[in-house]
Amino acid sequence: MEISMTLNGRKIKASIEPNTLLIDFVRAQKCFSVKRGCETTNCGLCTVILDGKPVLSCSILAARCNGKTVETLEGLQEEVAPFTKFLAEQGADQCGFCNPGYIVNFAALLRENPDPTDEEIDFYLSGNLCRCTGFESQRRAFRNYLNYKKEQEGAK
Amino acid sequence: MLKFKEYACPETLEEAYGLVQKKRNIVLGGMLWLKLQDRTVGTVIDLQKLGLDTITEDEENYYIGSYVTLRDLEIHEGLNAYTKGAIAHAVEHIIGIQFRNCATVGGSIFGRFGFSDVLTVFLALGAKVELYKNGIVSVEEFINFPRPLQDILVRIILPKNVDGAVYMSTRNSATDFPSLTCAVAKVSGEYRVSIGARPMLATLVTDEQGILKDGITKESAESFGEYVASKVTFGSNMIAKAEYRQKVCKVLVRRCLNEL
């Protein structure tokens, strides 16, 4: 079947099998940041933004995304650049496997809520699992970034 | 793993209904639980073009389309003000935001899963379901409909006669399946308690003995908790034993009543 969508700002058309999952489709489009972690809808590693909302690409058919807008980490580079260095500073990417899902979902959180509390960050990111760090370093990194952003805005 | 050959995206309810008349075809819903099953079907049916993804209201009811996501339920201000946050509390522990942006309320209700937080809360709230051919029936009746049900769930109707609702659940770890779910609501003056993840389907208990007839006090809440725990049948599985669930049930009912 034929589908078309806007992937990372680029309009594309493709011929797919009906059972193609969105994760496999975007990887075939060279969006390799989107990865399989658990494949049981638990880990959040395959997170992409579909029509503005973070979703699990491992559990959505590409066919359902016909006519929609999909964003992966590849298309969010400019938006996420300010906070990824805070993750690196906190050593929050030990093995790094969970990072793309974390970053995309944190970007989605900031779109919904530009100034989240620590509780709101924990709540929003509860669908992203990290098996190296215990989540503390990610939380510190995001808090440091938000504090830095406030300082920058206050200095203007 | 779910295997299928065809994907259909009908543009009318009649077309969708025609497709589900073949027992090998199935409505996708959010496809989350469905995808994890080892199952081969003919055609998967996606209802996304039917406009069933909105929450509307009139003076008497809220109307929740079957393709409304759990996240939409969670953040809908009117619905949660009306149910005192009970609906948001019922879904907020389900995996994560990304999961809840995919999962549909129709998938949760139509699937009639024992572990369903969603079914538990709508059962206590006295909600109804509107099926394309079988018409409007209460959630209590719908639970016992035959399976597979070759009909289309159009929407959930939540009458505006709820005067307070509380939802609580227990889990062995955050975002896990619940070991017990409990919703308490006062609907048209009647106390309705729904207990789910028993691990069987949610079941309803009302105050047939008038334990709460003089209102909710520390003592009457305690007694009603004991009454509900004695009325409901519990089972054991890898998440919890029946005896544990029975003890937790008593406590959750009491806590919900005290918060009502």
Side-chain angles (χ1 to χ4, degrees), chain A residues 25-53:
Chain A
F25 179 78
V26 296
R27 284 183 66 84
Q29 300 294 320
K30 303 194 186 311
C31 297
F32 296 123
S33 71
V34 187
K35 297 195 287 283
R36 277 193 168 78
C38 66
E39 187 128 62
T40 55
T41 73
N42 276 277
C43 77
L45 179 55
C46 65
T47 301
V48 301
I49 298 181
L50 176 63
D51 279 351
K53 294 177 179 177

Side-chain angles (χ1 to χ4, degrees), chain B residues 200-253:
Chain B
M200 300 82 91
L201 268 175
T203 187
L204 187 72
V205 181
T206 55
D207 187 18
E208 286 167 358
Q209 297 194 342
I211 297 169
L212 302 171
K213 69 178 188 306
D214 296 325
I216 299 169
T217 62
K218 197 178 161 191
E219 291 73 27
S220 67
E222 182 91 32
S223 299
F224 197 62
E226 284 173 13
Y227 171 69
V228 173
S230 70
K231 284 276 285 186
V232 172
T233 306
F234 299 94
S236 300
N237 62 2
M238 64 184 288
I239 291 176
K241 283 189 173 177
E243 294 83 351
Y244 173 80
R245 287 188 159 104
Q246 188 172 31
K247 286 187 191 307
V248 170
C249 172
K250 193 163 58 180
V251 176
L252 289 190
V253 172

